[in-house]
Amino acid sequence: MKNLLILTALLGIFQFVFGQDSKITGSVMDKKTGEPVIGASVVIEGTAKGAATDIFGVYTINNVEAGTYTLVISYLGYKKMKISDVVVREGRNTDLNIAMEEDTEMEIGEVVVVTSRISNTDASVLIDMKNADQIVSGVSAQAIAKTLDRDAAQVVRRIPGITISGNFIQIRGLSARYNNVMLHDVFAPSVETDVRAFSFDIIPSSQLERIMVYKSPAADVSGEFSGGLVKIYTRSIPDENSIVVNYTTGYRAGTTFQEFLFQERDGLYHTGFNSGLLSLPGEFPSDLRQVNSATALEEAGRSLRNVWEPRSQNAFLDQRAGITGNFKMKSKRAEIGNVTSINYSNTNATFDVERHDYNTFDKDANQSSVIYNYVDRQYNKSIRFGVIHNWAFRFSQKSKIEFKNLFNQSSMGQYVNRTGPNFESAVFLDNASYDQIYRGIYSGQFLGEHKLNADKTQLNWVVGYNNAYRDQPDYKRYRSTVDLVTGDRILYVPPGAAAAEFLGRFFSNMSEHTGTAAFNLSQKIALSDRFIPTLKAGIFAEYKNREFKARNIGYTRASSANFDTDLANLTIWELFEEENINNTTGIRIDEQSNPNDNYSASNRLLAYYLSTVLPITKKLNIIAGVRVEDNVQKLNSFDLTNRPIEVNNPIINVFPSVNISYNFTEQLLLRGAYGMTTNRPEFRELAPFGFYDFNFNFTNKGNPNLETPIIHNADLRFEYYPGKNELVSVAGFYKFFDKPIETLFLEGAGSGGAKNFTYGNAESSYSAGVEVEVKKSLRFFGDTKFFNDLSLGLNAAYIISKINLGEKSLGQSDNRPLQGQAPFIVNAGLFYANENSGLQVNLIYNVVGRRILFVGYEGYPDVYEMPRSVLDLSVSKTLGKRWTINAGIADIINQEILMLQDGNLDGVFDRANDQSIQRFRPGQYVTVGFSFKIL
């Protein structure tokens, strides 16, 4: 109540300060049909004041002084109108609705307009949403320009029901596996080996035309999603010629200007490309077990670089810079556009991560014994280089061809120093790992859009190629123990066979190539003046090929009898001096690679669809169709005994869908939808390869016997468009998953807290929820300049989910939600934008409900990621026509990232007393930057 009184008082003060403005408002309609006239010009004669009508035909002319005026209303194809004696009184609104008549005598045959439908404004995106065949949300370039968002990852968070965590996207609370991303109508490449993950942060926000998220199935979109399908479109023909330079520097609390440790680098490291410093030498043996010469084995061990000593420097401010050229040209036959953008970033982050693990819960003692309490000092260096290069050729209003290219290269280096007691082994550990990952993608598409037969026939097509790679050279790990009394440190050198996770190096490389082609045709059929259905048909083809190779190399004592035990007292980099790598008293390199560490895989998808749009009445629309997807997924590898493993899953799915919409009014719309979709296993989930993760201390193994799930999706949504760029919607949805894929914990695997996970199909699951979205101006608080410039964005979802494990429970409980499903999501934003002063202020809040990260078993509870509130503030100010300065504070609250188990099984997740698996605070992040327009 107190807060409400304060808010009311503040609103009253704002109204007093900014005062009341008079305005003229109303709507412009077609006199004959009563439909809104979109884009009509309404101007006060003799002045520059005016407005254009929005998608509902509504216009508003603000800040009009009291007096009597004449309005001039015009639009191509309509008779120009003048309305005189329009009286405006001080502090009051003048409402004036206008009906325009078509100008049937207007000669426009000689006028050639070379243009296209605008698709990057708030109004155009709302039109797309309102007229879409299915339930969809989106954000426009116009809306993006009003924010300080640097890249697509920040932009997409503004779309209802979406959350980004790292490179993983969640829609309606579902995990990344149930969502898909398309770039210009082609599946976006992923550089992750384990999961589907598109790096949204590789696309600068300035290059986005729009982002649309489809939440209900339809015949003309991919059948491989359930939460949502994200479609990203980058710019083609710019509005004007310009060259824009931008620069941002960032300060992270706990990192910047503090000591920063890293492994040895060379001069090319800061380019983000792999120079080969850490790669296996070209002459290195393909299998150390096949080396028969002791001398040759020594040489192989010594040929790997001794880069075990961490280097130190103070972390500097984060750096981000970019330059973008927008060029618009004309020839006799076409309008030509080129957009080229080059971006670079170099950032640091240091985290202190607490890690714990526990034994099976003891019901008699009412507690779980602790296995270990570690603290990881984690140093992360990220470098990114990206290029966008787009061409567009518009030959007429009815024909356009585009060539779009996206290239991104990234480098992620990490050094982790882990210390703390392992109670199960009764030792105090001082372990470390060095990791370096290089990722790269190229995505290129030829696209065409053509309108034929007086716009009754529309054809669009795309041909695309994606290449993605992930190179992980020399992932190093070692283990040592510390005597807390004497301070002596002893390196662990395994006797007998090597144990690479305790002293070893891991090398992996993934390369993936994808070719895509799609062809879509729509035809309007005029069966009568009032009934003009549309037939749609198309074909989509994609072929994806992946090669994955890994080497697991460890070190062991060359001789159990002759090993020089003093070597264990050395530092790790002293241990790897050349003289200590020998076949007598030192350490010996050893191959631990298994036959299942390599796999090749492919996926061939052919999809066909046919659908019809039936405008039953002016208000009722039915879109029904069927999509057939013929998919063949193959994978070849080996088991531990070198026996071949062959996966060959040819599956033909028939996906029916229906979307029904009913327009009560131009502003109020009801939608209903049903459709079937699928969720195919990822290559990594099928591969028998097992990978040890140092950070989480577990090994993840694939399952070649996975089945392909089917999902039934039902949606119902009310949409209300109260005014320009405004939307209020309420939706309900239900999803039934047949044989959903989950990560399963393998009971009894590992020691010292190590865990093994695999993938499996549950029997079924369901997810049901409600979703609310509000995009609203706050001018209803008062007709003042301040409230006219202030808007609210809010979307929230509440979801109930439950899993049915069937016979594959592995001792797990059915009384839990689907893995990765969050029970609620809240995204809220307060946006202030004063166009006259060029000042923008944004305050954005996000929180995601508790969700299962790792599935446990009876006695070892599921591991949950706890809710975390994130609050970001950003400010931007234009200075003249060329300069824009900006600043922001991200993660103001800095709430800890926490993974928790309900240790006492009381159903209550107590942050202070339940079993913490991982916790750390990432730190507030402050940025300051500018952009400068050269042209």
Side-chain angles (χ1 to χ4, degrees), residues 708-756:
T708 300
I710 295 294
I711 304 106
H712 298 264
N713 308 270
D715 290 82
L716 185 68
R717 184 161 91 164
F718 283 94
E719 299 174 7
Y720 175 54
Y721 298 84
K724 182 179 179 182
N725 302 331
E726 295 183 333
L727 169 66
V728 178
S729 73
V730 179
F733 59 88
Y734 176 83
K735 300 179 184 294
F736 178 82
F737 303 82
D738 183 26
K739 294 182 173 58
I741 296 173
E742 291 211 327
T743 302
L744 304 178
F745 177 81
L746 296 179
E747 185 177 1
S751 62
K755 304 290 191 299
N756 281 4

Side-chain angles (χ1 to χ4, degrees), residues 87-159:
V87 179
V88 177
R89 293 182 172 84
E90 184 70 37
R92 298 183 61 181
N93 298 338
T94 299
D95 295 322
L96 183 63
N97 296 326
I98 304 162
M100 298 188 75
E101 293 185 53
E102 286 189 51
D103 190 350
T104 57
E105 299 179 358
M106 183 177 181
E107 297 289 340
I108 60 174
E110 299 300 320
V111 178
V112 178
V113 179
V114 181
T115 185
S116 66
R117 176 184 173 277
I118 298 173
S119 59
N120 61 356
T121 65
D122 287 344
S124 65
V125 167
L126 283 177
I127 292 174
D128 285 344
M129 293 169 57
K130 187 171 180 289
N131 297 333
D133 291 346
Q134 64 256 62
I135 294 173
V136 62
S137 299
V139 62
S140 70
Q142 185 181 52
I144 295 168
K146 296 176 181 179
T147 73
L148 278 183
D149 295 340
R150 293 188 303 269
D151 51 51
Q154 295 182 332
V155 171
V156 78
R157 292 185 310 163
R158 300 178 182 275
I159 300 176

Side-chain angles (χ1 to χ4, degrees), residues 489-491 493 557 559-570 575 585-586:
R489 181 176 281 98
I490 301 175
L491 289 169
V493 182
R557 301 182 183 191
S559 168
S560 298
N562 299 322
F563 178 67
D564 182 359
T565 56
D566 288 340
L567 295 180
N569 299 321
L570 300 176
L575 176 66
T585 62

Side-chain angles (χ1 to χ4, degrees), residues 172 714-716 730-735 766-772 796-801 821 823:
R172 286 179 164 175
D715 290 82
L716 185 68
V730 179
F733 59 88
Y734 176 83
K735 300 179 184 294
Y766 75 83
S767 178
V770 293
E771 187 177 47
V772 178
Y798 176 76
I799 307 105
I800 298 173
S801 174
Q821 174 71 72

Side-chain angles (χ1 to χ4, degrees), residues 191-433:
V191 291
E192 297 294 337
T193 56
D194 289 5
V195 293
R196 177 188 300 134
F198 175 73
S199 298
F200 283 85
D201 55 350
I202 70 177
I203 303 179
S205 60
S206 61
Q207 298 311 304
L208 293 169
E209 182 177 271
R210 68 191 188 281
I211 298 178
M212 307 298 289
V213 179
Y214 297 84
K215 298 181 180 178
S216 66
D220 58 349
V221 299
S222 167
E224 193 173 1
F225 79 94
S226 180
L229 176 66
V230 182
K231 287 192 174 185
I232 303 173
Y233 299 91
T234 58
R235 292 179 182 268
S236 52
I237 299 180
D239 298 327
E240 60 181 4
N241 291 325
S242 66
I243 297 177
V244 180
V245 178
N246 61 76
Y247 169 79
T248 301
T249 187
Y251 172 90
R252 182 179 295 277
T255 299
T256 308
F257 303 133
Q258 304 296 314
E259 183 185 36
F260 192 87
L261 301 182
F262 55 94
Q263 68 176 317
E264 183 179 328
R265 305 165 179 167
D266 61 13
L268 292 177
Y269 181 82
H270 290 283
T271 66
F273 290 86
N274 184 4
S275 66
L277 176 72
L278 302 176
S279 301
L280 284 171
E283 68 281 2
F284 195 80
S286 59
D287 189 338
L288 294 169
R289 288 166 296 207
Q290 303 301 319
V291 178
N292 297 320
S293 166
T295 301
L297 196 62
E298 273 189 7
E299 291 176 353
R302 294 172 178 176
S303 68
L304 300 183
R305 290 181 179 271
N306 183 0
V307 284
W308 292 84
E309 181 180 7
R311 305 300 174 89
S312 174
Q313 67 180 30
N314 283 348
F316 191 57
L317 293 165
D318 287 354
Q319 307 292 312
R320 293 182 176 88
I323 182 169
T324 300
N326 301 291
F327 305 104
K328 187 176 182 180
M329 301 156 276
K330 287 187 177 181
S331 68
K332 292 182 179 180
R333 296 187 177 183
E335 183 180 18
I336 304 171
N338 171 254
V339 176
T340 300
S341 177
I342 302 174
N343 296 274
Y344 176 84
S345 66
N346 191 326
T347 62
N348 304 299
T350 302
F351 305 131
D352 286 316
V353 184
E354 294 181 22
R355 299 190 186 277
H356 314 274
D357 203 3
Y358 307 84
N359 284 308
T360 302
F361 182 73
D362 187 335
K363 294 182 179 180
D364 295 331
N366 196 35
Q367 66 178 6
S368 299
S369 60
V370 182
I371 298 175
Y372 59 72
N373 288 337
Y374 296 148
V375 175
D376 286 4
R377 182 69 171 171
Q378 190 180 100
Y379 304 87
N380 303 281
K381 161 75 77 173
S382 178
I383 298 171
R384 189 184 297 280
F385 172 78
V387 177
I388 291 178
H389 187 65
N390 294 344
W391 286 92
F393 304 86
R394 184 183 293 143
F395 301 101
S396 69
Q397 185 179 2
K398 300 182 179 182
S399 183
K400 182 172 72 170
I401 293 177
E402 298 177 271
F403 178 42
K404 297 195 172 185
N405 300 271
L406 170 68
F407 171 78
N408 189 264
Q409 172 67 33
S410 67
S411 163
M412 171 61 78
Q414 183 184 79
Y415 169 66
V416 179
N417 182 212
R418 170 174 296 167
T419 57
N422 186 306
F423 299 104
E424 191 173 77
S425 302
V427 294
F428 189 94
L429 295 180
D430 185 354
N431 301 350
S433 73

Side-chain angles (χ1 to χ4, degrees), residues 152 255 291 603 651 803 876 886:
T255 299
V291 178
N603 195 88
I651 299 176
I803 192 80
S876 165
N886 53 70

Side-chain angles (χ1 to χ4, degrees), residues 306-310 434 478 491 571-577:
N306 183 0
V307 284
W308 292 84
E309 181 180 7
Y434 301 83
Y478 74 87
L491 289 169
T571 62
I572 185 64
W573 53 92
E574 290 172 337
L575 176 66
F576 278 91
E577 293 292 342

